[in-house]
Amino acid sequence: MSEIEVDHEDLSALPEQRRQKILLTLQMEGQVLAADLSQRFNVSEDTVRRDLRELARAGMVKRVYGGAVPLALDTGKPYVQRANSQEHIKQELAQAALALIRPRQILFLDASTTNRQIARALPNDIPLTVVTNCPPIAVDLSDHPLVTIIMPGGKLNKAMQALTGPECVEKLSQVNADLCFLGVCAIHPHYGICSENDEEVFVKRAMLEHAAEVAIIATEDKVGAVEGFKIAPIDKITHMITPDTVPKDLLTPYVEKAIRVIPVGETSAKTMRRTS
């Protein structure tokens, strides 16, 4: 077997250029390892670790053991700001999500800004029961003629516009939902479904564990990204709806887990499925 040649770049004296290369590599590959970057840039691993620390301090990457992964763009923003971010894309993803819904189902809609777009897009002639911990979603659905709304109670996190806490988790655990639309801050094949806030982890986990099917709707910046708190591994997902601008290489690990990946956009021809 012939040895694999490593393409070395001498960037030892150019930290800014090196960090831009790291960000580009993250965008293309979904993660970087300090050992690999050390060889690629012809610098020490300590130098690479300093680069990663600086990028993490600037909020541009998430440090993990041995390297780094991307951070989602909406990290740390309050609900109102997130609601106005990528609104058109979220509306397109929400329209695709409607195809998964059947009349008379029980749905979990957590406090995701994309889930709010789903609530707003529901046809007036579909009877449903919607269980949500998000007051804005409940208000949006209050005029729907055929939707029964259930809110689990608990403590209101004003920044997230979400009910959380033991009371909320207990109520959700008593529901057998048909379908859960789970909002995520980040999703990664190895690190799983992630949240930036530890309060909502238990709420999301309760929804996920008490639904027959689980659909993740992830904008491009969230695919391959990692946040501080893990909700569940990716094999808990049954459907994943993303923009078709997400590189196929980043979606392959989900397809290999038998997750139905649904790319949305002008160039989307069909659902990605695992081939045997």
Side-chain angles (χ1 to χ4, degrees), residues 40-261:
R40 184 179 302 189
F41 299 149
N42 196 28
V43 296
S44 69
E45 287 192 37
D46 284 342
T47 297
V48 172
R49 292 190 188 99
R50 283 196 295 272
D51 288 337
L52 296 179
R53 280 197 297 271
E54 289 302 315
L55 289 171
R57 188 174 292 116
M60 304 176 78
V61 304
K62 170 72 175 178
R63 289 292 309 277
V64 295
Y65 181 76
V69 293
L71 270 176
L73 295 178
D74 285 343
T75 295
K77 295 180 181 179
Y79 187 92
V80 174
Q81 289 184 29
R82 288 187 287 115
N84 296 325
S85 172
Q86 306 182 77
E87 185 174 12
H88 178 67
I89 294 173
K90 292 175 182 178
Q91 288 171 347
E92 288 188 344
L93 297 176
Q95 285 295 326
L98 295 182
L100 302 178
I101 301 172
R102 299 289 179 266
R104 290 173 290 279
Q105 284 186 323
I106 299 175
L107 304 185
F108 280 141
L109 291 180
D110 76 349
S112 155
T113 55
T114 306
N115 280 351
R116 190 175 184 186
Q117 296 295 342
I118 295 175
R120 289 174 169 178
L122 286 174
N124 284 335
D125 61 351
I126 186 169
L128 295 167
T129 296
V130 173
V131 183
T132 181
N133 69 321
C134 181
I137 289 178
V139 171
D140 287 340
L141 289 174
S142 62
D143 291 331
H144 194 292
L146 300 178
V147 169
T148 298
I149 305 162
I150 297 175
M151 299 195 73
K155 173 186 174 183
L156 176 64
N157 183 309
K158 295 180 182 179
M160 295 191 303
Q161 283 295 293
L163 297 169
T164 62
E167 180 183 349
C168 182
V169 172
E170 174 62 24
K171 180 68 174 180
L172 294 171
S173 300
Q174 297 173 10
V175 180
N176 294 316
D178 298 291
L179 176 61
C180 169
F181 287 105
L182 194 74
V184 298
C185 294
I187 181 168
H188 190 281
H190 178 69
Y191 298 99
I193 310 163
C194 302
S195 172
E196 63 177 322
N197 190 294
D198 60 337
E199 286 187 30
E200 66 176 0
V201 167
F202 300 103
V203 172
K204 291 178 181 290
R205 194 175 292 163
M207 288 186 173
L208 180 149
E209 291 177 349
H210 292 86
E213 293 186 301
V214 177
I216 295 289
I217 303 180
T219 50
E220 185 174 358
D221 61 299
K222 296 179 180 180
V223 179
V226 174
E227 285 292 351
F229 301 96
K230 182 176 179 177
I231 300 166
I234 65 169
D235 58 11
K236 296 291 186 181
I237 306 168
T238 52
H239 305 80
M240 183 172 174
I241 303 173
T242 70
D244 63 2
T245 50
V246 177
K248 288 186 178 180
D249 288 348
L250 294 185
L251 296 175
T252 298
Y254 305 95
V255 178
E256 291 176 345
K257 288 284 188 180
I259 297 168
R260 182 188 178 201
V261 176

